[in-house]
Amino acid sequence: MTDPTTDPFAEGCAWIEGQYVPIREARVPILDTGFVRSDLTYDVVGVWQGRFFRLEDHLDRLLAGCQRLRLTPPRSREEIRAIMIETVCRSGLRDAYVEVVVTRGVPGQGERDPRKLSARLYAYAIPYVWIVRPELQERGTDVIVARDTRRIPPGSVDPTVKNFHWGDLVRGLFEAYDRDSLLPILPDGDGLVTEGPGFNVFALVDGVLRTPARGVLHGITRKTAIEIAEESGVDMRVEDLPVSALYRASEIFLTSTAGGVMPVAHLDGAAVGTGAPGPVTSKIRDRYWELHTDPRLSEAVDYDS
């Protein structure tokens, strides 16, 4: 780890308006529509032990999201890729959380027509972020099903496009804290499981591993967990998951780039299974981290270039 007192990039590096700057100096224009209207999309890639994990999958999703929002990125795919890599190189971080954001841009005075704006690109690398800390993952975390908060419906905000519409997710977090738990799982208006603040949900119910099919982000870690389960011979189904089924689950885990595969020990205060990470969860979790060194899915950062 480099010393932040001697290296201004040690705490992270950002790319802002064509310049690489230390993360503590990074600023965006206050009138940027990404800030004032959440008119943007973004993606987050993990770097683990000096290797990007599934970088191309993340770029695919970012550009697909831009297309759905009718956003034209101001840089090409290869340029975006190079900028993300450079933020990591300049920071020197071996374990990093790398985010790239495309906003609608900054409007001219009094301009409200989104067609007349020019998109802006921002990127940064900071130390790796854990939704659930590694030591807590070893015993499993505590979650609740939100009672007072419903997920924004897909007809209003498309959850397959990463966004900053976190009003419902933050409200769910406060509900979890008020109930002495760490994280919330949000249902939709039909009593089905959706997702939580930055993570997808999996449940092993009656020997079948299930994850919601709709109303959720198509997470890259979710995709990896599904692939691992299928390759391991687990009965894996992507389908509607009623909230009621969670209470019959023998195992529950959460997935995110920020933390990987995260076991759940308690749901609404009651033990899930044995109250510790189960065998299916542990197998998928171990394999997930093993894949971070697989050259088919990861690539090394050339810090000396």
Side-chain angles (χ1 to χ4, degrees), residues 24-226:
R24 65 174 62 186
E25 298 176 13
R27 303 290 186 272
V28 298
I30 197 169
L31 295 180
D32 192 308
T33 53
F35 174 69
V36 298
R37 296 180 184 167
S38 195
D39 191 358
L40 56 74
T41 189
Y42 74 103
D43 220 294
V44 175
V45 191
V47 172
W48 190 250
Q49 297 179 357
R51 301 181 70 88
F52 271 97
F53 186 63
R54 304 197 81 149
L55 176 55
E56 299 306 324
D57 290 302
H58 285 279
L59 287 169
D60 286 344
R61 185 173 63 182
L62 173 72
L63 297 177
C66 286
Q67 186 173 29
R68 290 182 70 86
L69 296 179
R70 300 171 71 169
L71 267 174
T72 301
R75 299 285 179 135
S76 69
R77 179 190 180 108
E78 285 308 308
E79 287 174 320
I80 295 171
R81 188 181 193 278
I83 288 167
M84 297 174 73
I85 292 172
E86 184 64 17
T87 61
V88 176
C89 289
R90 293 195 181 215
S91 72
L93 294 167
R94 263 51 183 182
D95 302 327
Y97 176 102
V98 187
E99 182 161 328
V100 59
V101 184
V102 181
T103 75
R104 188 77 60 188
V106 178
Q109 187 173 6
E111 184 59 69
R112 296 179 60 84
D113 187 341
R115 299 171 299 178
K116 296 181 179 180
L117 276 64
S118 297
R120 293 197 174 201
L121 177 77
Y122 306 98
Y124 62 84
I126 58 175
Y128 188 81
V129 174
W130 297 90
I131 292 177
V132 179
R133 299 186 310 276
E135 61 272 22
L136 183 54
Q137 289 192 28
E138 292 304 317
R139 63 178 185 270
T141 191
D142 297 342
V143 304
I144 56 124
V145 174
R147 297 170 184 158
D148 302 326
T149 309
R150 298 290 176 268
R151 190 72 173 105
I152 296 174
S156 299
V157 175
D158 185 350
T160 67
V161 178
K162 284 184 75 69
N163 60 73
F164 289 166
H165 296 271
W166 270 52
D168 53 344
L169 299 176
V170 171
R171 182 177 170 184
L173 278 169
F174 276 107
E175 186 175 343
Y177 303 151
D178 289 343
R179 292 165 58 187
D180 298 320
S181 193
L182 181 67
L183 296 167
I185 294 172
L186 271 62
D188 66 12
D190 297 320
L192 300 175
V193 174
T194 63
E195 55 194 355
F199 57 81
N200 292 112
V201 180
F202 287 73
L204 186 67
V205 183
D206 300 327
V208 177
L209 186 60
R210 300 166 66 181
T211 194
R214 57 193 174 103
V216 301
L217 177 72
H218 295 170
I220 305 303
T221 309
R222 170 183 180 265
K223 176 181 180 179
T224 307
I226 291 170

